[in-house]
Amino acid sequence: MSADPSPAPQGPPPPGKPSRGSLRARDMLMCLAVLLVIVAVGGGVRSCSFAPGGPTVDPNSAPTVDAAARLAEFARASEFPLRVPAVPQGWRSNSTDRSPVDGGGTAVRVGYLTPEGKYLRLVQSDGGEEALVATEAGGPVAGTGVTDAAGLRWVTYQKEGGEPFRVTTAPDDPQVRWLVTGSGTDADFAALARATVAGQALPAGAEQN
């Protein structure tokens, strides 16, 4: 009597193709995860934002510098007099610097933040006007006009779409140039111009010894 043949054992059935609905749900979850990562990274970069009037800086994320003390230190080694601007209440300095001007001379820089987060830089120098502008702008810039502020005539240099560089001659020394640039408004520029004119004068180092 022959044995009754039994069917061969079957393996597990092949996995079925995921439904279109499950694929769509998985894709949405993956996109959501990517968006959460982007938001998390973007949320950590809050020090600078862009607005129609120019970039702004988060005042809470920027350092504070004692501009008066730093300018006094620079003046002791300077060959030309400096000014300590009497900036409006709420303004604060976040940077200072001193370096050569291309073509001769020295530039002493102080950066300021307004309460609205706008940035302005005052540069005091004994370099030539065009050389000073080229040094600050990273290359030659064409003049675009003149404006009056704080009783002084300022020549404006500006690249298309860029921030203006306004330059004048110091009222107490024809060899000294003042330059103001940055994302501040015209009113901010005028305020810094007045603050510089009204600021404390620091004689050059040779005169302090």
Side-chain angles (χ1 to χ4, degrees):
M1 180 176 180
S2 59
D4 185 19
S6 58
Q10 299 292 325
K17 182 179 180 180
S19 67
R20 184 174 298 177
S22 63
L23 285 173
R24 187 174 298 140
R26 185 176 64 184
D27 291 342
M28 290 177 65
L29 288 174
M30 291 180 64
C31 290
L32 180 60
V34 172
L35 285 174
L36 288 174
V37 172
I38 293 173
V39 171
V41 173
V45 184
R46 299 181 300 173
S47 61
C48 183
S49 62
F50 292 90
T56 59
V57 179
D58 181 358
N60 296 322
S61 67
T64 297
V65 175
D66 187 341
R70 293 289 290 159
L71 287 170
E73 179 181 337
F74 289 146
R76 285 192 288 270
S78 178
E79 296 182 359
F80 58 94
L82 300 175
R83 288 290 182 99
V84 181
V87 294
Q89 185 175 3
W91 289 41
R92 66 186 181 89
S93 174
N94 72 328
S95 63
T96 59
D97 177 67
R98 182 177 185 269
S99 65
V101 173
D102 296 339
T106 301
V108 174
R109 306 175 183 87
V110 183
Y112 291 98
L113 292 178
T114 71
E116 295 75 27
K118 296 295 186 179
Y119 174 78
L120 294 98
R121 181 169 77 249
L122 169 68
V123 186
Q124 304 178 64
S125 176
D126 58 347
E129 182 174 308
E130 293 185 358
L132 176 61
V133 173
T135 298
E136 297 304 303
V141 182
T144 59
V146 297
T147 186
D148 293 327
L152 301 175
R153 179 178 179 271
W154 300 72
V155 180
T156 301
Y157 295 81
Q158 188 172 11
K159 294 180 180 178
E160 184 176 356
E163 295 173 347
F165 296 84
R166 298 180 173 102
V167 188
T168 191
T169 299
D172 52 356
D173 192 327
Q175 303 304 314
V176 177
R177 247 66 55 196
W178 294 343
L179 179 150
V180 175
T181 188
S183 64
T185 64
D186 290 344
D188 293 331
F189 154 69
L192 183 52
R194 291 191 298 270
T196 305
V197 170
Q200 177 188 0
L202 300 174
E207 300 175 29
Q208 296 184 42
N209 296 332

